[in-house]
Amino acid sequence: MLSWLRFSDLIQGSKIIMRLCRFGEGRLGLVEDASVRDVTAALDALPMYRYPLPSFDPLIANLEKVTSRVQAIAATAPSQPVSSVTLLSPVANPGKIVCAPVNYQKHLDEVREDAQLHHNNAGTMAPIHTAGLFLKATSALVGPGEGIALRKVDRRNDHEVELAVVIGKTANNVPAADGYQYVAGYAIGLDITIRGPEERSLRKSPDSYAVLGPWLVTPDEVPNPGNLNLRISVNGEERQNSNTKYLILGVADLIAYASSFYTLYPGDIIITGTPEGVSPIQPGDIISACIEKIGTMEVKVRAA
Ligand code: MN
């Protein structure tokens, strides 16, 4: 199987596929600047799966086959403005959504200082090496076009903007030095959170509380995921603005750490943690999240 870098080398000189989205009623798109080409026909390259279904996401597990097909049909595929489509999560069926808590020192500092954030929950006040990782339910996953439907609106609901990593091949006990070889691509992740004393996996797993988008950017577009500006604004007001260079455990470290506990499968998502500046959101808000080299996505907030 060719790695992404070798695949890129292979098609050097022609157009390299970099940004894949899902939109509308399960369509596949190739994003070029402000346009999206409908390359849904490339999904014909996927093998047929029967029950019991595999524990990986079929598109991500067969990404090279599909992108070869995308490459072949893109030039004649119909194009429309990205702004005219409803963007879905670029991964449809992840096996798990792995989450890094308190992976930026300044966010850990703000959590420790604010009882509204930590609720005397010791697990939320420990550094990542002690706190470990947690999982969000896969049923929480939506794309930016689907919006966030807030539950428990009498309680504090917060935004968290995070670099999201999509695993490209099966990873078990991977050394950090090899971590990047297992990356299919990157996206923006929003880890929406109800504050309170319950376990993270409950408070962070209501439907729509995991937003992934606006598209999957392949690693050749993101040579150093350890130095990306990331920011989020709510109704035009900036709330978080940091850089992934402040991650305590970086992308490769997280892949090593997670895969020391469980096998990561193609399509599994790791959201790498949020920097300082988390703040409440309410129905009616419009969130805009941006990560350098990936893109910008707008997400509407409503009541469930
Ligand atoms: Mn988070």
Side-chain angles (χ1 to χ4, degrees), residues 99-102 107 134 136 159-162 190-193 195 200 204 271-274 278:
C99 312
V102 290
H107 175 56
F134 66 95
K136 281 170 92 92
H159 57 78
E160 297 188 352
V161 63
E162 316 200 358
L190 300 185
D191 177 15
I192 306 301
T193 302
R195 299 294 170 196
R200 283 190 180 91
K204 290 168 172 273
I271 54 172
T272 55
T274 200
V278 299

Side-chain angles (χ1 to χ4, degrees), residues 59-181:
L59 171 60
I60 304 300
N62 295 281
L63 201 52
E64 288 170 19
K65 271 185 202 159
V66 172
T67 52
S68 298
R69 191 81 195 108
V70 168
Q71 179 80 8
I73 66 174
T76 55
S79 180
Q80 60 189 306
V82 174
S83 58
S84 70
V85 305
T86 300
L87 287 167
L88 308 175
S89 164
V91 183
N93 298 108
K96 51 187 169 297
I97 304 173
V98 178
C99 312
V102 290
N103 198 18
Y104 287 81
Q105 184 62 44
K106 284 186 182 173
H107 175 56
L108 177 57
D109 294 343
E110 76 180 349
V111 168
R112 282 173 167 163
E113 284 164 14
D114 187 344
Q116 280 193 359
L117 297 182
H118 64 67
H119 283 261
N120 293 315
N121 186 338
T124 67
M125 290 188 279
I128 185 163
H129 308 85
T130 306
L133 304 171
F134 66 95
L135 298 173
K136 281 170 92 92
T138 54
S139 52
L141 187 63
V142 293
E146 295 168 276
I148 298 163
L150 292 184
R151 301 202 187 202
K152 314 292 178 191
V153 288
D154 54 325
R155 293 171 57 175
R156 181 167 163 173
N157 276 268
D158 279 11
H159 57 78
E160 297 188 352
V161 63
E162 316 200 358
L163 173 66
V165 181
V166 177
I167 296 297
K169 55 183 185 177
T170 302
N172 187 18
N173 277 319
V174 168
D178 298 339
Y180 289 124
Q181 295 173 25

Side-chain angles (χ1 to χ4, degrees), residues 208-240:
S208 80
Y209 276 44
V211 185
L212 191 74
W215 35 71
L216 182 76
V217 179
T218 46
D220 48 9
E221 179 81 337
V222 188
N224 184 7
N227 188 5
L228 299 173
N229 290 317
L230 74 170
R231 58 190 155 83
I232 192 167
S233 65
V234 179
N235 305 327
E237 182 186 310
E238 188 169 274
R239 300 283 177 86
Q240 293 181 276

